[in-house]
Amino acid sequence: MQIVINPKYESLRPWIEQLPNTFAHSGEVIYDARNQIRVIKGADGILYNVKRYHQPRFLNRIIYTLFRAPKAQRAYDNACRLLSLGIDTPTPIAYILTGNLLKDSYLVTIHSSLSRTFYDFRDGNIEGKQTLIEAFAHFSASLHRAGVLHLDYSPGNILYDMVDNQWKFQLVDINRMRFGYVKPKQGCENLCRLWGKHDFFETLSPIYAQDRGISQEQCLRWIEHARARFWKHHAHEHFVTDDTFTVGVVISTYNNPQWLEKVLWGLQCQTHLANEIIIADDGSDERTKQMLQCYQSVLPIKHVWHPDNGFRKTTILNQAIAAATTDYLIFMDQDLIPRRDFISQHYRHARVNRFISGGAIKLPQTTSNACTKEEVVSQRVFQISWLMQHGMSCSWKLSKLCPIPWICWILNKLTPTKATWNGGNASTWRQYLLQVNGFDSRMRYGAEDRELGERLRHIGVRGYQLRYNIPLLHLWHTRPYVNNVDWKMNRQIWNETIKHKLTRTSYGIQQS
């Protein structure tokens, strides 16, 4: 094991030497995907960030041992160099390398006091943020003038906050950096990973261009060309668009706060956050209301409720549509855990005259119970290995979790399943739902969503299949509300809609 400690923090050596043994059960996890980051309070009362890097594959272990410095070492060295140049980054404390051939590696830094990232611009709204963008433009120009090129200059790696009435910035995830003269074009292209609408870059580019002594028009062209190239190949990883609109998520529920809470955990860690989350509550008791109150400070929740008078899901969904204020609505149920790209996938594929149909994977009861908050937030529940370890059998339906975009595209084209309106995972523009007058409130359980889909088709809104791009985990539950009488009545209404090509119901949002 190799340990390098910042001389100023040599007193922390006993604690640092034990980190490979204590890391897994210390502190609080604040990030858990490919790498894991924990905030750990030291004996001195100071908060430290400890990042454990993903264990490299065998060939990379050889490369990092013999030919190239490991990521933890590069991040530590780069932090020291940045600070010497007057560029802020969390203070490096130490790095740890384990194994004769590199196995695990750790980076220890002081926990940053800056609490915000540039993901704040994911909604495309720059109103009131002009001074921040201008300050960031000055920071980026100074960074490049100092000969520093952050090769992953993306929203999550830029921390910021207001400190002493000034905007302050810090760089993180700095193992990939280049030092030396940064050409003006190279600097402009370095901004391509940032999120925001065109007006974000129109505000940023003149300041950056002035600081670098280049033409404003040329600066903006370089940025835009670089963005077009980058996001053509990386759009599947994150949300980015210049065609910004607001998004709401409508969740139907009835007396199952335990499962509904798991859905909210998933919505908390989305790459694109919802502008509003409307809980369409078909008469739940106080338990649901009390649970939702715990989340209303961290999620934009609207609780739409009516008294319990039997299965009236269609009625409460119509009330939710009427209460919505967002442009685009995504529908799901209380028993469906979303992957972190759930909203961004619906968003990116939204088009005029289109509704989107996603997919779901049904979980057995044991697997559903194993979906704890930590497992959902870390997204381990979407790993095939995790599901099989917790009661899932190996089957073709797990192919919906394929992480390779081009394979998902092929599977969406090949699937015999039609792109129907599936109320558990579907989306379209709110104006279309108002045009068809929402759901038919006469319908009980069974095909009530399909009937809505037929009316959408009749006004020219076609389904688009994304069952392999947007997989939800369907938690186990019983269905005591299913009966043949309701199904026959629903089928009759559905057939009438198809036969007469109806575009609007008289029993919807507006009652005639």
Side-chain angles (χ1 to χ4, degrees):
M1 183 166 65
Q2 178 184 352
I3 299 177
V4 172
I5 299 177
N6 187 327
K8 296 179 181 179
Y9 297 92
E10 183 63 34
S11 61
L12 296 175
R13 179 175 290 276
W15 172 66
I16 293 171
E17 288 177 342
Q18 291 301 312
L19 275 175
N21 300 321
T22 61
F23 176 83
H25 52 267
S26 298
E28 177 187 0
V29 176
I30 61 170
Y31 181 82
D32 192 357
R34 183 174 176 83
N35 309 312
Q36 186 177 99
I37 303 175
R38 290 176 176 265
V39 177
I40 302 174
K41 190 172 185 178
D44 51 7
I46 296 175
L47 293 178
Y48 297 95
N49 272 20
V50 182
K51 180 176 185 177
R52 182 177 65 189
Y53 289 86
H54 177 74
Q55 191 175 114
R57 295 175 181 175
F58 181 73
L59 180 60
N60 285 339
R61 292 175 65 186
I62 296 175
I63 292 172
Y64 286 141
T65 301
L66 301 177
F67 304 107
R68 189 183 185 196
K71 293 180 180 179
Q73 180 179 344
R74 280 183 276 140
Y76 176 89
D77 292 341
N78 288 342
C80 294
R81 190 163 181 178
L82 287 175
L83 292 173
S84 71
L85 294 170
I87 298 166
D88 202 8
T89 189
T91 304
I93 304 299
Y95 69 86
I96 306 169
L97 310 177
T98 69
N100 293 326
L101 279 181
L102 180 69
K103 187 177 179 182
D104 289 320
S105 56
Y106 302 82
L107 174 69
V108 186
T109 65
I110 289 181
H111 182 63
S112 176
S113 60
L114 306 187
S115 60
R116 306 176 71 175
T117 72
F118 265 65
Y119 284 133
D120 288 349
F121 288 93
R122 76 180 79 222
D123 63 0
N125 181 21
I126 70 168
E127 186 177 354
K129 302 176 184 176
Q130 284 84 352
T131 58
L132 167 60
I133 300 171
E134 292 169 359
F136 175 68
H138 288 303
F139 171 77
S140 298
S142 65
L143 184 73
H144 295 152
R145 287 201 310 270
V148 177
L149 197 67
H150 193 326
L151 299 182
D152 192 5
Y153 203 45
S154 54
N157 295 335
I158 303 163
L159 307 183
Y160 78 94
D161 225 325
M162 180 67 75
V163 179
D164 297 330
N165 295 318
Q166 288 186 327
W167 291 112
K168 298 293 184 181
F169 303 92
Q170 281 187 342
L171 301 180
V172 295
D173 202 2
I174 54 175
N175 57 281
R176 295 176 59 238
M177 305 203 80
R178 188 178 298 156
F179 296 91
Y181 176 65
V182 178
K183 298 177 181 179
K185 181 180 180 182
Q186 198 175 20
C188 292
E189 292 175 342
N190 192 222
L191 306 173
C192 70
R193 300 187 181 206
L194 298 172
W195 292 3
K197 291 180 67 177
H198 185 73
D199 55 3
F200 173 90
F201 295 95
E202 286 181 326
T203 304
L204 181 150
S205 58
I207 307 296
Y208 181 89
Q210 183 178 3
D211 284 4
R212 296 299 313 269
I214 58 177
S215 160
Q216 296 181 16
E217 293 77 12
Q218 182 64 72
C219 177
L220 186 58
R221 282 197 298 271
W222 281 336
I223 293 173
E224 289 180 334
H225 290 164
R227 291 188 76 227
R229 289 197 306 271
F230 180 81
W231 288 109
K232 180 179 179 181
H233 300 289
H234 295 271
H236 63 279
E237 297 177 3
H238 294 294
F239 148 77
V240 61
T241 182
D242 284 332
D243 186 20
T244 301
F245 49 88
T246 54
V247 180
V249 178
V250 179
I251 309 173
S252 61
T253 190
Y254 174 72
N255 274 341
N256 199 340
Q258 181 182 359
W259 267 198
L260 177 59
E261 187 172 28
K262 295 177 188 286
V263 179
L264 298 181
W265 295 339
L267 291 177
Q268 280 185 282
C269 58
Q270 293 293 299
T271 58
H272 181 112
L273 298 177
N275 297 96
E276 62 181 357
I277 298 172
I278 306 168
I279 308 298
D281 191 338
D282 194 16
S284 299
D285 57 33
E286 284 294 311
R287 293 174 301 159
T288 296
K289 181 179 179 181
Q290 291 170 2
M291 185 275 291
L292 292 175
Q293 287 175 343
C294 298
Y295 288 88
Q296 285 180 323
S297 61
V298 293
L299 288 171
I301 291 174
K302 291 182 180 179
H303 188 196
V304 180
W305 177 92
H306 64 190
D308 186 359
N309 190 19
F311 187 94
R312 294 191 294 155
K313 178 182 176 182
T314 51
T315 300
I316 197 63
L317 284 174
N318 284 340
Q319 292 181 26
I321 295 170
T325 59
T326 43
D327 303 313
Y328 195 82
L329 294 178
I330 304 172
F331 288 76
M332 62 188 305
D333 293 332
Q334 65 181 5
D335 51 15
L336 297 164
I337 297 177
R339 197 168 64 183
R340 70 171 75 247
D341 63 343
F342 170 69
I343 295 177
S344 67
Q345 288 285 352
H346 276 281
Y347 192 111
R348 286 202 309 109
H349 291 92
R351 299 289 187 276
V352 174
N353 294 328
R354 172 186 287 182
F355 72 78
I356 292 171
S357 178
I361 301 170
K362 290 185 178 180
L363 306 185
Q365 187 172 8
T366 53
T367 313
S368 300
N369 291 332
C371 295
T372 63
K373 183 175 183 179
E374 183 177 356
E375 303 300 315
V376 172
V377 172
S378 69
Q379 297 285 283
R380 282 192 289 268
V381 293
F382 286 93
Q383 298 174 4
I384 294 176
S385 58
W386 185 93
L387 292 170
M388 294 181 66
Q389 289 170 8
H390 292 85
M392 283 286 289
S393 57
C394 184
S395 67
W396 174 252
K397 63 184 178 182
L398 291 176
S399 64
K400 292 177 184 175
L401 297 176
C402 175
I404 305 174
W406 66 268
I407 293 180
C408 292
W409 183 86
I410 292 174
L411 292 173
N412 284 326
K413 297 297 182 183
L414 294 178
T415 180
T417 304
K418 293 182 179 180
T420 58
W421 180 271
N422 173 11
N425 189 354
S427 65
T428 195
W429 303 92
R430 180 172 177 263
Q431 68 183 66
Y432 297 154
L433 297 169
L434 295 175
Q435 188 174 341
V436 300
N437 204 22
F439 293 84
D440 191 310
S441 61
R442 295 173 295 171
M443 301 184 77
R444 306 302 180 187
Y445 179 80
E448 73 280 2
D449 43 8
R450 303 294 179 87
E451 191 274 339
L452 171 69
E454 291 297 334
R455 283 184 279 119
L456 287 171
R457 285 192 182 91
H458 294 161
I459 65 169
V461 180
R462 304 300 179 186
Y464 187 70
Q465 183 66 269
L466 282 178
R467 69 199 311 252
Y468 289 92
N469 291 74
I470 316 178
L472 298 173
L473 298 183
H474 192 170
L475 300 168
W476 177 90
H477 62 89
T478 59
R479 288 181 172 83
Y481 41 78
V482 178
N483 65 78
N484 288 330
V485 174
D486 287 347
W487 168 248
K488 289 179 180 178
M489 180 186 71
N490 286 2
R491 184 73 202 197
Q492 182 179 353
I493 296 171
W494 185 13
N495 287 337
E496 286 293 313
T497 298
I498 296 172
K499 179 180 178 181
H500 299 290
K501 296 189 181 300
L502 299 180
T503 61
R504 186 177 176 87
T505 177
S506 299
Y507 302 90
I509 298 171
Q510 295 180 345
Q511 299 281 322
S512 59

